Amino acid sequence: MIITLIVICEVGFWVLLAGGLSLRYLARMPRAGAAVLLMEPVLELVLLIATAIDLKNGAQAGMKHGIAAVYIGYSVGLGHSTITWVDQRFAHRFAGGPPPVKPPKYGMARAVHEWKVAARWVLAAAVAMGLLQAAVWYVGDSGDTGSLRAWQTKMLIVIGINVVIALSYTLWPKQPKPGTAEEPDRPRAFEKR
């Protein structure tokens, strides 16, 4: 039941997103579009309640409960940026909006961008880990929580990978290839005079 509900929530996310953006840009009904987009968190709330009920009814804590926690964590940490990303492209494609904003390519501006992305992933993983810990406490000593603990470890790995990526852009900022017109972002102290 939980896996089916996760799939329904994922499909519902994209249906609500498409519906909300269509109302906003195609039907020129921005308030109705915003109302539909604000229904997105209801999906995660339904999934959270269903997962708690499933565990309360004696279900063995397993992979499906871990996936539900990760899905909710992703929605909290990266849901807004996903909606913004799609919104920019939808507005550009169907409503004559400006071209989507692209992330910076070089220098410290790129490093800052990578740290922002890492922060969103860390938030997503932290929320998932918190929900997983709550499930472990909820199940208590009466059940096997090894699967939930394994998902917590996976979330620590997600945090580590994202921090390493952001750190690599900070320590070794990407520079444009020689001969290109693009200038890297450099502090003035390092410029030749």
Side-chain angles (χ1 to χ4, degrees):
M1 175 183 102
I2 298 297
I3 295 295
T4 303
L5 191 55
I6 292 169
V7 171
I8 289 169
C9 286
E10 180 64 15
V11 170
F13 173 84
W14 291 104
V15 167
L16 288 174
L17 184 57
L21 294 177
S22 294
L23 284 170
R24 179 184 285 180
Y25 295 113
L26 300 179
R28 305 276 191 242
M29 300 169 62
R31 286 188 180 173
V36 170
L37 291 174
L38 287 173
M39 291 172 46
E40 300 265 355
V42 174
L43 295 172
E44 283 70 36
L45 184 60
V46 168
L47 181 59
L48 180 63
I49 292 169
T51 303
I53 290 170
D54 192 44
L55 289 170
K56 178 75 170 168
N57 290 338
Q60 184 71 20
M63 182 179 75
K64 61 186 177 185
H65 301 102
I67 292 172
V70 170
Y71 179 80
I72 293 169
Y74 178 88
S75 295
V76 170
L78 292 132
H80 183 266
S81 62
T82 301
I83 291 170
T84 302
W85 187 88
V86 174
D87 184 42
Q88 288 178 350
R89 280 143 187 83
F90 198 95
H92 178 65
R93 175 82 167 100
F94 296 108
V101 176
K102 293 183 179 182
K105 292 183 180 180
Y106 306 110
M108 291 313 292
R110 179 59 186 242
V112 169
H113 169 76
E114 292 299 331
W115 279 109
K116 288 178 182 178
V117 171
R120 288 192 285 271
W121 277 103
V122 168
L123 175 61
V127 168
M129 288 172 59
L131 290 172
L132 290 163
Q133 187 60 45
V136 167
W137 290 332
Y138 191 66
V139 171
D141 296 333
S142 62
D144 179 22
T145 58
S147 175
L148 301 176
R149 298 262 184 224
W151 277 102
Q152 286 180 316
T153 303
K154 290 174 186 166
M155 293 300 95
L156 285 173
I157 292 169
V158 167
I159 289 172
I161 289 170
N162 281 279
V163 168
V164 166
I165 290 171
L167 189 60
S168 71
Y169 275 95
T170 303
L171 297 176
W172 301 285
K174 187 175 178 183
Q175 301 297 329
K177 294 179 182 171
T180 62
E182 299 181 44
E183 283 291 320
D185 296 336
R186 293 183 295 191
R188 288 194 166 267
F190 294 112
E191 291 182 4
K192 292 182 181 177
R193 296 176 191 247

